[in-house]
Amino acid sequence: MKRRLALLAAAAAVASAHAAVERIQVVERVPFAPGVSFGEYGAYEKIRGIAYYALDPKAAANASIVDLKHAPRDKKGRVLFSSEFVLLRPTAATLTTLLYDVNNRGNIAIMGQVNGRSPAQNDPTTAADAGDGFLMRHGFSLLFSAWTWDVAPTAPVAGTPPSRPLVFAPPVTKGVKGRVQNEFTVNAPADIVTYAGMRGLTYEPAKANDPHAVLTQRARPDDARRVIARSAWSFVAPELAGGPGRIKLEGGFQPDTIYEVSYVAKDPYVTGAGLAGIRDLLSYLRDHPFEGAPAPRNVLMFGISQSGRLIGRMMHDGLNVDESGKLVFNGAYLQVPGAGGSAGFNSRFAQPTRHPSMMEEHDYPADAFPFTSTPTHDPASGRTASTLDKARDKQGNLPKLIYANTSTEFWNRGASLIATTPDGERDVAPADNVRIYGFMGAQHYVGRSKTRAPFTACVSTSDHYLPMRALIVALDDWTTQGKQPPASAYPQLADGTLTTVADYRAIFPKGVGITPPEQNLREPRLNFGPRWAMDGTADQVPPKHGDDFETRVPTPDADGNDKGGVRLVELQAPLGTHTGWNLRDPGTGFAWATSRFDGSFVPFARTEAERVAAGDPRPSLEARYATRDAYAAAVRAAADKQVAAGLLLVEDVERTLRENLGLYDRIIARNPADQGCDYLFAK
């Protein structure tokens, strides 16, 4: 009898552990990249399905999900919803690492940056969609699912299949109202504009063309808002069905102006349910054989930018631990998350597509204290906390984490805060389960713009996708074999590689042709009222501002290239100055502000004669590398150094040599009088 009761108890425990996933429906199962064999892992397949969830609002594991308790429930008291998912995996039944890629605004992100090809129509199908097959050749099973709702529809392109974004339909809190606000700018005069976030949707007014809505304007973020007469503007229907609303202004909207519209909205989504859906899908697949394949040997998460910040928020809210108290991922890679993402994503009227920049979204809560993985004290609030305070499983284990930012995030997304005190005065060492990397001289994504506009300089060309590939493999080895990844490498105050903007401007070489910004993005302290910390409800919209958190930037060397951090091949064997910032062109407004995502590149003069004529203080290519072969040798030596450090894979050495030699040849062939940016890219 005791044995029978024990078996029944064990069965009940297993059932409760996966109560959140009721069932999974497979709607498509087809070969991926038919005819292609990816090394030792062979052929891959694509499984498209729908996961159905049931969340218990009374469960302790769901207590942090804002407004879940107010959502509609079934007869059993559960909140029901579903999400679409896509799984790419080897067809052979083998133990692999399941790598969950947090989609970015509905789009698969990891394949574009790591494999070198974003799937056409967001639907990975063909050999071309596999890019160079890196993730498949290394045996990863890739999982993508819908988690966010605020993705704007796109117009169909004639002659091509429709795109298939992964968009989530979350539970709705009916009858609830609240004030929301949206900031927006324009690059050129316009009569009608969209006021939602980047490629996103927003909550529309509860009352059509709300007569009590307020539109304001100001020149700088800290300037007083000036109200625009309500009679001078009106709400306009979306351009596309289901798209974001728009505003029409008499006399039109103008550059160099920050606009803000606020109004009462209704029926907020339970946006945090999307995070719980990720948690529970991973929990289910971690423990269950699925469609003929065994459960994975390892589960990892990966996110780029917005998606990386979402991982940060999951850990901040303890949503990386399932209802049974187990970690749902063993490791995570947060790529370019800036200050880490300990805010946003899980509050009433949350809009995940939004995040702050120098010019807009100054009042959206994308990041907030705590920022560091070990406890720090915030004198302003009196709190001592870390980002991982709620991230441990019931045994006290934490996932192994990689945070990687580029130079651009130090300028535009508060990246220094993940490793300093809130006042920016002292370094804070990462926790033992955390590695931090700074890809110096790189921008948010590898540069691809062939024009200067709407900025003043050509974009940075540094390829930080190559160390990303090495670190993904390192994270897998760390979580499966206990093999230590490369030591953290990021700018720090103690060694002088992290500094103030004022010092940066004083050190940066004069005569290069670009002038550093007057400021970087300073993370604001936002006060939304007393209920914000308790249940994610904003009573003060726009929020009140306290003193900003202090953010620092990497220190430049004599060439203007950033010190410290991961020394990319492009900085060890430089062809010019790579910065993490790029100032806006005065013609598009906000000449004092930096690009949200782009850095700058200014090549060295080809010869000493050209250098002297231009007044350039940086030694020329001729002075640095006597011949093309000498440059090639410098690149190979730098690549070998990166390989030894674990920051470049042997398979990628020839690629980095090819990329850098190609740029060298194009600089040599370029007429210095040509101010275009085409030369940055191979034809």
Side-chain angles (χ1 to χ4, degrees):
M1 183 65 178
K2 289 183 178 180
R3 183 174 183 274
R4 183 171 179 271
L5 289 174
L7 289 173
L8 288 173
V14 171
S16 64
H18 299 298
V21 175
E22 289 225 294
R23 64 187 175 94
I24 290 180
Q25 176 188 1
V26 173
V27 298
E28 180 185 27
R29 187 174 184 180
V30 296
F32 168 66
V36 177
S37 180
F38 296 99
E40 65 181 282
Y41 293 94
Y44 265 62
E45 65 178 344
K46 174 175 67 174
I47 299 175
R48 189 179 290 273
I50 301 172
Y52 294 88
Y53 306 96
L55 291 182
D56 179 3
K58 296 180 181 179
N62 299 326
S64 64
I65 303 173
V66 171
D67 280 339
L68 184 67
K69 61 186 177 183
H70 301 306
R73 307 184 196 183
D74 69 357
K75 293 179 180 180
K76 297 180 181 179
R78 305 170 306 170
V79 178
L80 306 180
F81 59 97
S82 64
S83 68
E84 183 183 8
F85 70 87
V86 177
L87 174 64
L88 304 179
R89 70 180 190 184
T91 56
T94 181
L95 290 172
T96 66
T97 290
L98 179 65
L99 179 56
Y100 181 91
D101 173 43
V102 184
N103 80 70
N104 192 296
R105 295 170 175 84
N107 294 315
I108 292 170
I110 192 171
M111 292 177 71
Q113 293 198 2
V114 177
N115 278 24
R117 172 68 179 252
S118 295
Q121 285 76 52
N122 201 52
D123 183 20
T125 303
T126 68
D129 291 333
D132 71 355
F134 175 85
L135 292 164
M136 292 80 190
R137 287 187 283 104
H138 286 270
F140 292 105
S141 292
L142 303 178
L143 178 65
F144 321 94
S145 71
W147 65 269
T148 188
W149 61 270
D150 61 336
V151 178
T154 56
V157 178
T160 62
S163 182
R164 303 185 70 173
L166 291 162
V167 181
F168 179 56
V172 179
T173 309
K174 290 287 188 181
V176 173
K177 292 185 177 181
R179 195 160 195 88
V180 300
Q181 54 84 230
N182 292 274
E183 282 188 344
F184 58 95
T185 61
V186 296
N187 285 341
D191 293 330
I192 300 176
V193 300
T194 296
Y195 51 89
M198 184 176 64
R199 301 196 305 275
L201 298 175
T202 187
Y203 289 96
E204 301 297 343
K207 185 175 183 179
N209 204 26
D210 183 355
H212 301 294
V214 177
L215 180 66
T216 67
Q217 62 182 10
R218 63 194 194 276
R220 292 257 186 162
D222 295 331
D223 290 352
R225 293 167 168 83
R226 292 182 288 123
V227 176
I228 299 173
R230 186 64 183 85
S231 59
W233 64 276
S234 59
F235 288 101
V236 178
E239 185 175 9
L240 293 174
R246 299 178 295 164
I247 293 179
K248 182 177 182 179
L249 176 64
E250 291 180 8
F253 295 93
Q254 303 299 319
D256 227 23
T257 304
I258 299 170
Y259 296 95
E260 178 186 274
V261 62
S262 60
Y263 48 83
V264 173
K266 66 177 181 179
D267 300 342
Y269 292 118
V270 184
T271 307
L275 283 63
I278 296 173
R279 174 197 68 185
D280 295 330
L281 182 59
L282 291 180
S283 175
Y284 183 89
L285 293 176
R286 177 198 63 205
D287 294 338
H288 281 71
F290 181 65
E291 292 295 301
R297 64 169 184 163
N298 191 29
V299 179
L300 303 177
M301 280 192 78
F302 178 89
I304 299 169
S305 191
Q306 173 208 45
S307 308
R309 298 196 308 275
L310 176 130
I311 299 172
R313 182 68 201 215
M314 286 181 69
M315 293 186 293
H316 178 272
D317 290 348
L319 293 173
N320 64 308
V321 179
D322 66 16
E323 291 183 354
S324 68
K326 295 171 65 177
L327 295 176
V328 298
F329 53 84
N330 302 315
Y333 187 135
L334 290 76
Q335 172 68 14
V336 292
S342 56
F345 303 112
N346 186 22
S347 56
R348 182 171 290 179
F349 292 109
Q351 299 167 54
T353 61
R354 297 176 63 184
H355 73 280
S357 74
M358 294 280 278
M359 304 182 310
E360 55 202 352
E361 308 284 24
H362 302 97
D363 295 334
Y364 190 76
D367 303 289
F369 180 85
F371 302 100
T372 55
S373 57
T374 52
T376 48
H377 182 70
D378 178 25
S381 65
R383 294 177 60 205
T384 298
S386 84
T387 57
L388 303 180
D389 288 345
K390 298 180 181 179
R392 295 182 183 275
D393 69 6
K394 62 183 180 182
Q395 280 81 36
N397 300 312
L398 287 167
K400 294 176 170 59
L401 305 171
I402 286 177
Y403 291 80
N405 281 301
T406 71
S407 290
T408 294
E409 282 74 55
F410 286 86
W411 284 94
N412 297 322
R413 290 295 290 112
S416 63
L417 285 168
I418 67 174
T420 69
T421 50
D423 59 8
E425 292 298 321
R426 291 182 292 109
D427 295 314
V428 177
D432 292 341
N433 64 304
V434 174
R435 297 291 184 274
I436 299 177
Y437 305 99
F439 297 142
M440 297 297 91
Q443 62 179 43
H444 192 71
Y445 41 68
V446 171
R448 52 180 177 258
S449 176
K450 296 183 178 181
T451 64
R452 291 174 181 259
F455 313 116
T456 56
C458 294
V459 297
S460 179
T461 58
S462 301
D463 187 355
H464 62 280
Y465 296 165
L466 295 181
M468 278 174 58
R469 287 157 63 114
L471 289 173
I472 289 171
V473 173
L475 180 62
D476 191 31
D477 290 343
W478 192 15
T479 49
T480 57
Q481 304 171 27
K483 181 180 177 181
Q484 290 294 310
S488 292
Y490 57 93
Q492 299 181 56
L493 296 165
D495 63 7
T497 56
L498 193 67
T499 191
T500 64
V501 172
D503 282 346
Y504 182 99
R505 286 170 56 85
I507 297 168
F508 192 81
K510 309 298 187 292
V512 173
I514 54 175
T515 302
E518 297 175 1
Q519 64 185 84
N520 66 334
L521 181 73
R522 293 164 59 86
E523 291 286 342
R525 295 177 186 270
L526 303 177
N527 182 354
F528 290 92
R531 290 192 293 168
W532 182 254
M534 293 185 294
D535 62 12
T537 301
D539 296 302
Q540 177 72 36
V541 178
K544 295 179 180 178
H545 280 237
D547 292 336
D548 293 339
F549 293 101
E550 290 293 338
T551 51
R552 305 299 191 214
V553 296
T555 305
D557 64 18
D559 287 328
N561 286 315
D562 291 341
K563 295 181 178 180
V566 175
R567 308 304 295 162
L568 298 175
V569 169
E570 289 87 345
L571 266 63
Q572 292 188 53
L575 293 172
T577 298
H578 299 261
T579 76
W581 49 267
N582 200 331
L583 286 170
R584 289 178 59 86
D585 186 291
T588 61
F590 305 103
W592 52 271
T594 56
S595 162
R596 221 172 193 174
F597 305 116
D598 298 275
S600 304
F601 176 68
V602 182
F604 298 138
R606 296 179 299 180
T607 65
E608 281 298 285
E610 286 181 359
R611 180 190 71 78
V612 172
D616 191 334
R618 305 167 301 166
S620 66
L621 293 176
E622 178 184 62
R624 295 167 189 265
Y625 316 108
T627 64
R628 184 181 188 275
D629 287 345
Y631 176 68
V635 172
R636 188 169 291 278
D640 290 343
K641 189 175 180 180
Q642 291 291 80
V643 170
L647 293 164
L648 184 68
L649 297 173
V650 172
E651 67 182 274
D652 288 331
V653 169
E654 292 306 314
R655 171 174 158 182
T656 196
L657 185 66
R658 182 174 65 253
E659 288 178 353
N660 284 279
L661 276 174
L663 181 56
Y664 174 91
D665 290 338
R666 294 191 296 276
I667 292 173
I668 294 298
R670 166 180 171 263
N671 182 346
D674 180 4
Q675 293 300 297
C677 304
D678 280 353
Y679 78 95
L680 296 180
F681 308 96
K683 300 298 183 184

